Amino acid sequence: MEIAKTYQHGAVEAKWYAHWLGKGYFHSTPDQRQPYTIVIPPPNVTGVLHMGHALNETIQDILIRRARAMGYNACWVPGADHASIATEARVVNQLKAQGIRKQDIGREAFLQHAWEWKEKYGGIIYEQLKKLGCSCDWQRTTFTLDDTYSRAVIRVFVQLYREGFIYRGQRMINWDPVALTALSDEEVEYREVQSTLFYVQYPLEGSTDRITVATTRPETILGDVAIAVHPEDPRYQHLIGKYAYVPLIDRRIPIIADAYVDQAFGTGCLKITPAHDWNDYQLGIKHQLPIIDVLNPDGTMSAAAQLFVGEDRFVVRNKIADLLREKGFLAKTETIVNKNGFSQRSNAVVEPRISTQWFLKMKDLAKPALDEVLQRQIQIHPEERFLNTYRHWMENVQDWCISRQLWWGHRIPAWYDAQGNIYVAETAEEAYAQAHKAMGTTDVQLHQDEDVLDTWFSSWLWPIQVFQGITQPGNAEWRYYYPTTVLVTGQDIIFFWVARMIMAGLHFTGEIPFRYVYFTGMVRDKLGRKMSKSLGNSPDLSQLIDQYGADAVRFGIMISSPAGNDLLFDEKGCEQGLHFCNKLWNALRLIKSWEPRINEQTKPATDFPIKWFHHRLQAFIRQTEKDFEQFRLSENLKNLYTLIWEDFCSTYLEWMKPAPDADGLQITKSYFETLLQLLHPYMPFITEEIYHQLSPRDANDDLIIKPIPAATDADEEIVQQGLLLKDVLAAVRQTLQMHQIKAKQPYELWIQTTQREKYETCIPILHSQLHVQNIVFTDDAPEQAIRTVVGKDILYIKIPELASTASDHQKQNLEKELNYLKSFLQKIEEKLQNERFLQHAKSEVVEREQKKKQDTLEKIRVIEETLRTLS
RNA sequence: GGGAGCUUAGCUCAGUUGGUUCAGAGCAUCUGCCUUACAAGCAGAGGGUCAUUGGUUCGACUCCAAUAGCUCCCA
């Protein structure tokens, strides 16, 4: 069969994905083997795959494919979360475009629209994962709003409520005035913005003086209830205990002292607005100040504000400033940079707001979750970077606001009676039963809480509930797959997800949810900027795959992403991947071209290449085992790339030319197969394709499931001999090139060495690689020859017409080398003469230094001799 | 303001227990090649005071401290 001259990725990738699926290779069921389990960090159902996902999912696929080939029962569970805020926002917008408001159609109808939306767009991300080659067990696809999953969420809510972890209370929370919902602390992003600092003068009671307060939020002065100064601030001692008037509305407020106030900021006077600022809220409680909420939920001014009622907070900010200026209360303004909180989902400026919400007490849940990690029951990679972050958050954890004022999500299973009593139960029937019992009558009307739960309150159960561990505790699948093996996720959701999954795992099952956590960095562009929609610097993944092929894209992503480091994505990497595919393809073409020629071949003159590559390969397989233990995927891929390109293609295959015999061909194919196996996790499609092109295969003989052989011991001696041979080849070629000797020009190679046996087996290779006429061993320098030095050996290139000279360049190089060796030697000698070194250093170290000294002396002798004959 | 991390070749990064046969890779650059697998290729070359300063040590890219610059997290 004729093999195409270039590799065509498109058709090949579609073909093999369908083949693997058809064979059921991705599907896992419990059996005798050890499980290797990964649960996908569920992407938003609203999402399309971006580069961050691509990095994440590629890593997971690499781990799962490797595990599958190492004989584990590999199970990768895919799925998505329902993304309350994001999805609801999409659906609301879609309805708005049709002139429909969600309040008008009601909860039921709205949810129907939302489900339709989910059916239509929710699967996009799965198709993209398939395109990328992800070997997920699609039969296990889970969605956080599935019926059973929802039951699990409700069940744990009820459990935690009964255990006293969940409470309902009025507290200050982060409010998203656009999405009209509470947010958790983690859903707020703080970013620097340019703001105006307004210096507002408050008239003092019983005086014509004024006190000046600096604020970036003049609209909130309408909610001011006090002015605070530092108790030791000499400027304001006389004012403590006095009263001032809020400009424009003339509210009489006290001037209080509190050490919290920063004397250096602004004027050293702080206005206190407990309803609209976290710190003011605390101060308000401490000093028993009233709370005046001047904002409506949508960020407009409330009736309590008295002025500008119903107008937006940002509009009012300017209007108030103008009015203050007009009335003479505005002393001055300056521009400053401060940090504002933004909603991760809607990007609205978050408003601190006092509101009644449901909270989960975190302290007692966090403690065991921290301990397990500190005791390394769960190992974080890379640890040095993220363990401290994890610990810090866990030690300072705040209660988690878990209610959201939305409809798309798990409705809070709490019912209220007319008196406001709360009944928390898994079903309405149970809630009624509770109410009947409590009230001693069946004449009760209950109303369920309107709010839903934070999306993360469902996804923290993910590793347990994808195996029904909550709804069917102790079931066989759960027992088999849980705890899962490794969680791969971005460092940005360490708190959202990782920490809470560990808490949930320990609390609900008594076991950790996974043994390893592998954190990836952020994907940035090649200039180091975060990828974002607004910058437009995020490449379209589908387009990238169409252009380069999924294998090349996976290669491009992995080749530059060491664990935990940010990945500076550059399309160049994909191009390199594409070239690599081409290289592999051509290796296939070469090997296949040998097939019809094996009969012509007699036994090769040396089996050194075969021996050498065998040991080289064994050493690599062993190293690979270590690399995967330490999640050093990028390094492993780099080394594999070099092994294939340099050692296999440029070295081994060249050394086997013009063609091997039948046995040699067989061995060559088996080497190639092993390389393909090692590469398969990174580049699944082309490796499977080449595997099948290389030899006819039985029906169930596919690379994806072919077990990777265990490494045998590598003979370091033979590996070294290969390196020597490579050095000799390079030295001769370099010398020829420097003397501008054409490749076809005949010459003789004389070798002066004390390790003749190392050369002898390789002479046929020297002949085939160097087009040398004759090779001889010598003990003396021949006449009329160019010299070059390899280690302790001297090579002479004899060309009758050329004088016995070296180029200046070559001399310089030798001199440079000599200087280096001499200073090297000096340092070794100093060391060996140093009493304290001999006393303190281990005996192996001293021996090694002595060996180094001998070797170096020998090399120096050789170079000096060469230089002498050159001059 | 509190905390963490980073700083090695033009760029992106390796360098695992301190001991110059380890200062390395890829990309980029330069030179020579259309050698019958591959020009998406082959064969070579150049390039670094390992941020700075001090300390520990017989010995520091590696450990410690300070300084500078960068990044991230938290408030």
Side-chain angles (χ1 to χ4, degrees):
Chain A
M1 187 177 58
E2 191 64 20
I3 301 173
K5 195 153 162 53
T6 52
Y7 172 61
Q8 303 295 328
H9 56 80
V12 166
E13 292 181 357
K15 176 181 76 180
W16 287 114
Y17 201 88
H19 177 82
W20 295 326
L21 265 185
K23 289 274 188 177
Y25 292 144
F26 302 166
H27 182 51
S28 165
T29 48
D31 60 22
Q32 296 316 106
R33 291 174 296 167
Q34 231 188 308
Y36 188 103
T37 317
I38 297 180
V39 292
I40 207 168
N44 285 346
V45 70
T46 53
V48 291
L49 222 52
H50 54 67
M51 292 309 293
H53 290 122
L55 169 63
N56 244 291
E57 317 302 1
T58 301
I59 289 169
Q60 289 169 66
D61 196 42
I62 290 165
L63 294 174
I64 215 81
R65 282 178 186 271
R66 165 89 183 170
R68 197 178 283 126
M70 293 297 283
Y72 292 96
N73 186 348
C75 181
W76 183 11
V77 182
D81 73 33
H82 60 281
S84 264
I85 299 178
T87 309
E88 181 145 334
R90 301 275 170 106
V91 178
V92 165
N93 282 339
Q94 192 187 40
L95 290 173
K96 203 172 174 184
Q98 301 164 32
I100 303 171
R101 294 190 331 146
K102 81 172 197 184
Q103 293 84 345
D104 297 342
I105 57 172
R107 190 171 194 125
E108 292 302 311
F110 177 82
L111 287 179
Q112 205 168 336
H113 281 288
W115 277 104
E116 281 168 16
W117 189 93
K118 186 257 173 189
E119 290 311 315
K120 197 165 168 192
Y121 300 106
I124 293 177
I125 202 144
Y126 297 144
E127 292 314 307
Q128 290 181 310
L129 287 172
K130 290 174 185 170
K131 211 170 163 184
L132 193 59
C134 295
S135 57
C136 305
D137 184 349
W138 296 106
Q139 294 175 50
R140 295 183 179 274
T141 306
T142 305
F143 181 52
T144 47
L145 274 183
D146 287 342
D147 283 345
T148 48
Y149 202 104
S150 298
R151 273 212 305 285
V153 175
I154 298 308
R155 182 170 296 176
V156 303
F157 182 96
V158 173
Q159 183 188 331
L160 288 168
Y161 179 79
R162 291 188 181 146
E163 291 168 343
F165 285 104
I166 286 179
Y167 63 92
R168 189 166 185 260
Q170 192 180 53
R171 285 211 342 214
M172 182 158 269
I173 46 93
N174 298 291
W175 181 259
D176 181 333
V178 171
L180 297 178
T181 178
L183 302 173
S184 73
D185 297 346
E186 288 71 32
E187 283 169 307
V188 181
E189 254 176 41
Y190 291 89
R191 293 203 296 268
E192 283 195 340
V193 290
Q194 280 236 333
S195 299
T196 306
L197 190 62
F198 297 87
Y199 285 79
V200 182
Q201 295 176 324
Y202 290 54
L204 289 166
E205 187 182 50
S207 161
T208 51
D209 280 349
R210 291 172 163 195
I211 182 166
T212 306
V213 168
T215 178
T216 55
R217 303 201 58 190
E219 72 278 13
T220 64
I221 68 170
L222 304 175
D224 281 356
V225 295
I227 289 173
V229 297
H230 196 279
E232 282 154 26
D233 193 330
R235 294 172 293 179
Y236 303 113
Q237 289 298 316
H238 64 291
L239 294 177
I240 296 171
K242 300 267 172 55
Y243 286 82
Y245 288 95
V246 176
L248 307 179
I249 52 172
D250 288 336
R251 178 183 300 129
R252 182 170 174 268
I253 57 172
I255 296 167
I256 60 172
D258 197 291
Y260 163 77
V261 179
D262 179 359
Q263 298 185 47
F265 182 80
T267 59
C269 297
L270 186 68
K271 69 188 208 59
I272 307 296
T273 322
H276 302 292
D277 183 278
W278 289 89
N279 297 312
D280 291 10
Y281 181 64
Q282 295 303 326
L283 286 177
I285 291 171
K286 188 169 162 191
H287 295 275
Q288 294 175 317
L289 298 168
I291 290 171
I292 301 173
D293 186 350
V294 297
L295 288 171
N296 291 316
D298 63 355
T300 58
M301 304 307 286
S302 71
Q306 305 179 46
L307 299 172
F308 305 111
V309 175
E311 294 189 58
D312 184 76
R313 51 188 170 151
F314 297 117
V315 175
V316 174
R317 182 173 301 170
N318 293 328
K319 287 193 175 178
I320 288 250
D322 291 343
L323 195 55
L324 288 169
R325 187 177 291 116
E326 199 178 297
K327 303 259 183 191
F329 292 112
L330 192 61
K332 62 170 178 172
T333 62
E334 8 177 279
T335 302
I336 60 159
V337 173
N338 67 339
K339 284 196 171 173
N340 273 5
F342 293 84
S343 164
Q344 250 188 4
R345 292 297 168 205
S346 71
N347 207 30
V349 175
V350 167
E351 197 63 59
R353 185 159 190 263
I354 296 159
S355 147
T356 301
Q357 302 285 346
W358 289 90
F359 295 90
L360 177 61
K361 287 184 195 166
M362 297 292 269
K363 222 175 163 162
D364 292 345
L365 293 173
K367 179 75 173 61
L370 176 57
D371 291 344
E372 290 292 317
V373 173
L374 290 179
Q375 288 161 24
R376 307 299 189 275
Q377 298 303 308
I378 297 173
Q379 287 180 32
I380 292 177
H381 289 268
E383 183 173 277
E384 67 271 19
R385 211 166 305 201
F386 299 114
L387 183 59
N388 283 330
T389 312
Y390 177 82
R391 190 211 324 246
H392 188 259
W393 190 75
M394 284 301 214
E395 285 171 350
N396 296 285
V397 68
Q398 301 290 313
D399 286 357
W400 176 12
C401 175
I402 53 174
S403 45
R404 296 290 179 275
Q405 286 63 53
L406 301 165
W407 287 346
W408 177 247
H410 305 95
R411 190 167 178 179
I412 292 173
W415 282 262
Y416 308 97
D417 63 19
Q419 287 76 43
N421 296 311
I422 300 173
Y423 307 96
V424 169
E426 289 189 36
T427 62
E429 291 72 40
E430 274 179 54
Y432 269 101
Q434 280 181 30
H436 294 165
K437 202 171 156 198
M439 306 302 284
T441 168
T442 54
D443 182 25
V444 230
Q445 273 300 319
L446 294 185
H447 178 71
Q448 188 175 0
D449 198 299
E450 289 293 336
D451 293 346
V452 299
L453 291 161
D454 181 10
T455 306
W456 298 98
F457 190 84
S458 57
S459 24
W460 73 327
L461 305 175
W462 192 254
I464 312 172
Q465 184 54 24
V466 294
F467 302 113
Q468 278 82 52
I470 300 281
T471 43
Q472 294 171 50
N475 76 74
E477 287 223 329
W478 176 81
R479 284 207 313 271
Y480 181 72
Y481 291 112
Y482 190 93
T484 66
T485 310
V486 54
L487 179 81
V488 180
T489 190
Q491 54 184 255
D492 50 335
I493 56 174
I494 182 166
F495 311 130
F496 277 118
W497 212 46
V498 180
R500 286 171 184 158
M501 271 190 295
I502 297 172
M503 293 182 203
L506 291 171
H507 190 73
F508 299 117
T509 76
E511 284 186 71
I512 52 173
F514 31 71
R515 305 193 189 284
Y516 303 96
V517 183
Y518 176 106
F519 282 114
T520 64
M522 301 285 95
V523 181
R524 298 168 177 277
D525 66 13
K526 63 181 169 187
L527 300 174
R529 300 174 304 182
K530 255 186 187 164
M531 292 213 166
S532 72
K533 274 182 195 156
S534 53
L535 272 175
N537 58 351
S538 184
D540 179 337
L541 192 67
S542 296
Q543 204 186 315
L544 223 47
I545 291 175
D546 290 341
Q547 188 181 347
Y548 295 100
D551 287 327
V553 172
R554 291 166 65 119
F555 179 93
I557 288 170
M558 291 311 298
I559 200 68
S560 57
S561 61
N565 276 10
D566 284 355
L567 157 64
L568 271 62
F569 182 75
D570 188 346
E571 257 187 63
K572 276 254 164 63
C574 299
E575 204 181 309
Q576 198 186 344
L578 182 73
H579 294 175
F580 190 35
C581 288
N582 182 55
K583 191 71 188 175
L584 291 162
W585 193 250
N586 276 289
L588 168 72
R589 290 179 63 222
L590 175 64
I591 293 169
K592 292 300 276 185
S593 78
W594 285 341
E595 270 178 3
R597 297 164 61 186
I598 53 172
N599 290 334
E600 306 161 17
Q601 294 303 315
T602 53
K603 194 129 188 83
T606 175
D607 64 349
F608 179 75
I610 286 173
K611 250 168 71 185
W612 169 74
F613 196 75
H614 169 79
H615 292 286
R616 177 76 185 85
L617 190 54
Q618 295 312 312
F620 185 85
I621 293 172
R622 183 137 298 165
Q623 182 57 44
T624 299
E625 286 162 7
K626 285 189 198 143
D627 287 342
F628 271 84
E629 272 167 30
Q630 297 168 39
F631 297 96
R632 297 157 58 93
L633 306 187
S634 181
E635 291 84 348
N636 181 252
L637 177 59
K638 261 179 209 168
N639 292 332
L640 183 53
Y641 176 81
T642 306
L643 177 72
I644 291 174
W645 201 301
E646 292 299 323
D647 292 316
F648 186 66
C649 292
S650 298
T651 307
Y652 174 79
L653 291 179
E654 291 299 328
W655 289 357
M656 295 301 281
K657 280 181 178 178
D661 62 0
D663 288 346
L665 180 61
Q666 205 42 50
I667 292 167
T668 301
K669 282 188 177 181
S670 81
Y671 288 162
F672 198 22
E673 280 177 16
T674 304
L675 293 171
L676 292 171
Q677 275 185 288
L678 294 171
L679 185 61
H680 177 85
Y682 302 95
M683 304 175 79
F685 296 109
I686 190 172
T687 47
E688 187 76 81
E689 172 69 14
I690 292 178
Y691 180 71
H692 286 266
Q693 293 269 355
L694 196 57
S695 301
R697 307 289 176 185
D698 294 338
N700 290 318
D701 185 1
D702 290 309
L703 191 65
I704 183 176
I705 52 157
K706 193 178 165 77
I708 293 177
T712 58
D713 286 333
D715 185 335
E716 194 50 35
E717 202 61 18
I718 293 177
V719 174
Q720 288 304 319
Q721 197 182 344
L723 287 178
L724 172 69
L725 180 54
K726 282 165 87 169
D727 286 347
V728 169
L729 293 173
V732 173
R733 284 166 179 155
Q734 183 194 355
T735 311
L736 292 173
Q737 189 177 333
M738 269 172 196
H739 288 81
Q740 296 172 317
I741 296 163
K742 291 275 183 282
K744 304 264 159 80
Q745 192 164 345
Y747 65 94
E748 288 188 355
L749 179 64
W750 290 39
I751 301 168
Q752 186 178 349
T753 178
T754 53
Q755 43 179 1
R756 195 165 157 170
E757 69 291 347
K758 290 242 166 81
Y759 285 84
E760 270 168 345
T761 46
C762 301
I763 285 188
I765 299 169
L766 291 174
H767 271 288
S768 75
Q769 294 299 298
L770 294 173
H771 312 290
V772 58
Q773 228 175 12
N774 195 20
I775 298 174
V776 294
F777 290 97
T778 177
D779 291 328
D780 303 297
E783 296 293 310
Q784 288 201 316
I786 311 165
R787 297 135 216 271
T788 181
V789 177
V790 174
K792 294 179 280 184
D793 304 333
I794 310 177
L795 305 177
Y796 303 94
I797 292 160
K798 247 178 100 67
I799 298 177
E801 304 89 86
L802 277 166
S804 153
T805 58
S807 68
D808 288 347
H809 187 210
Q810 203 174 6
K811 269 190 213 163
Q812 272 168 26
N813 271 356
L814 283 173
E815 272 156 13
K816 213 159 118 186
E817 179 71 10
L818 187 63
N819 285 337
Y820 171 79
L821 287 172
K822 278 182 170 167
S823 80
F824 185 36
L825 179 69
Q826 195 186 342
K827 289 202 176 154
I828 296 169
E829 283 177 334
E830 276 169 15
K831 218 182 261 188
L832 286 169
Q833 280 158 16
N834 186 330
E835 291 277 328
R836 307 197 61 179
F837 170 71
L838 297 173
Q839 273 168 16
H840 289 89
K842 282 184 249 168
S843 59
E844 306 108 80
V845 175
V846 178
E847 276 167 36
R848 195 161 60 220
E849 292 301 318
Q850 261 146 4
K851 175 87 166 59
K852 272 195 230 167
K853 183 182 168 184
Q854 291 312 314
D855 287 351
T856 309
L857 279 170
E858 182 70 2
K859 284 181 189 172
I860 288 174
R861 189 188 61 77
V862 165
I863 291 179
E864 279 178 337
E865 195 179 309
T866 307
L867 281 170
R868 217 174 16 251
T869 55
L870 287 176
S871 54

